[in-house]
Amino acid sequence: MNPLLVFLEALGLSLPAVTWWLFRRYARRNVAGELLAGAIVGVVWEIATEPLWDYHLALTFYRDAPLAVVAGWSVMLTLVPWLAEKLYCKVLGLSALRPRDKRVFVFDMASAAAVCLPLETLGSKSGVWTYRQDLLQWDWGLIPLFNMPYELLFGYSLLMLVAPTFVRYWEGSFEGKR
């Protein structure tokens, strides 16, 4: 197997623990619930979309869908709501997220572009997966600088209308807070 892919798989599998430690150490925040809720979304997403990409990693949980990618979802869906809430508070001049405030969706989508698009680009360009263009038939063009399909950003935007809300709702339950 390609040494780069072995390294990226090991890195991907370790990222949830590293993320948990960094948040615990520097933000004094337990993100175990976010990581677990994000992993659940990742499992659902990967099973539902498995035919659309070919993965090239060794440790899989469903067909060729890798565990490291689920670990990546857990980290992304910890970072996206966190960044969205920081931006929401900063831009709107608030100290905390207001319950049921729909404006957070805009910040979720912007945060997804900032967090997910670079990670998606890294995974694709490094060969962790390839898109099944014969099935996807993406033809809207490419995002400048990233050289990635616009449909990808559109898909992330749609997913971020529900995934961060799921994470926010369940994180406390997984940490024993509710």
Side-chain angles (χ1 to χ4, degrees), residues 76-138:
M76 285 193 309
L77 290 173
T78 297
L79 296 176
V80 167
W82 175 78
L83 179 59
E85 290 166 21
K86 294 291 184 194
L87 291 172
Y88 169 97
C89 290
K90 184 81 169 163
V91 170
L92 300 177
L94 301 171
S95 60
L97 184 64
R98 289 187 179 161
R100 302 194 191 316
D101 187 348
K102 308 305 183 273
R103 296 178 292 181
V104 75
F105 292 137
V106 173
F107 296 97
D108 286 341
M109 288 189 289
S111 296
V115 172
C116 302
L117 188 58
L119 293 174
E120 181 81 22
T121 303
L122 174 68
S124 174
K125 303 292 184 192
S126 64
V128 172
W129 59 80
T130 51
Y131 302 112
R132 292 286 313 272
Q133 184 59 22
D134 58 318
L135 298 174
L136 294 165
Q137 298 182 22
W138 286 340

Side-chain angles (χ1 to χ4, degrees), residues 124-178:
S124 174
K125 303 292 184 192
S126 64
V128 172
W129 59 80
T130 51
Y131 302 112
R132 292 286 313 272
Q133 184 59 22
D134 58 318
L135 298 174
L136 294 165
Q137 298 182 22
W138 286 340
D139 61 1
W140 292 356
L142 300 175
I143 301 167
L145 194 65
F146 289 96
N147 204 29
M148 296 291 282
Y150 278 110
E151 290 90 340
L152 199 71
L153 188 56
F154 181 68
Y156 271 117
S157 295
L158 291 176
L159 182 59
M160 293 308 140
L161 291 174
V162 294
T165 301
F166 177 87
V167 170
R168 286 184 191 102
Y169 182 83
W170 286 102
E171 67 181 281
S173 297
F174 292 131
E175 294 169 3
K177 292 180 184 173
R178 294 182 193 166

Side-chain angles (χ1 to χ4, degrees), residues 4-20:
L4 175 61
L5 292 179
V6 172
F7 169 75
L8 290 174
E9 187 162 27
L11 179 64
L13 290 168
S14 69
L15 279 180
V18 170
T19 301
W20 178 85

Side-chain angles (χ1 to χ4, degrees), residues 5-76:
L5 292 179
V6 172
F7 169 75
L8 290 174
E9 187 162 27
L11 179 64
L13 290 168
S14 69
L15 279 180
V18 170
T19 301
W20 178 85
W21 182 82
L22 288 171
F23 269 92
R24 188 70 158 195
R25 173 84 166 95
Y26 295 105
R28 304 211 189 303
R29 180 174 172 175
N30 180 9
V31 292
E34 289 94 323
L35 290 164
L36 186 54
I40 290 169
V41 172
V43 166
V44 170
W45 186 256
E46 292 305 322
I47 289 173
T49 64
E50 187 274 336
L52 301 176
W53 1 92
D54 289 326
Y55 287 105
H56 310 292
L57 298 179
L59 299 175
T60 62
F61 71 96
Y62 176 76
R63 297 188 181 172
D64 75 338
L67 291 171
V69 170
V70 172
W73 279 108
S74 74
V75 171
M76 285 193 309

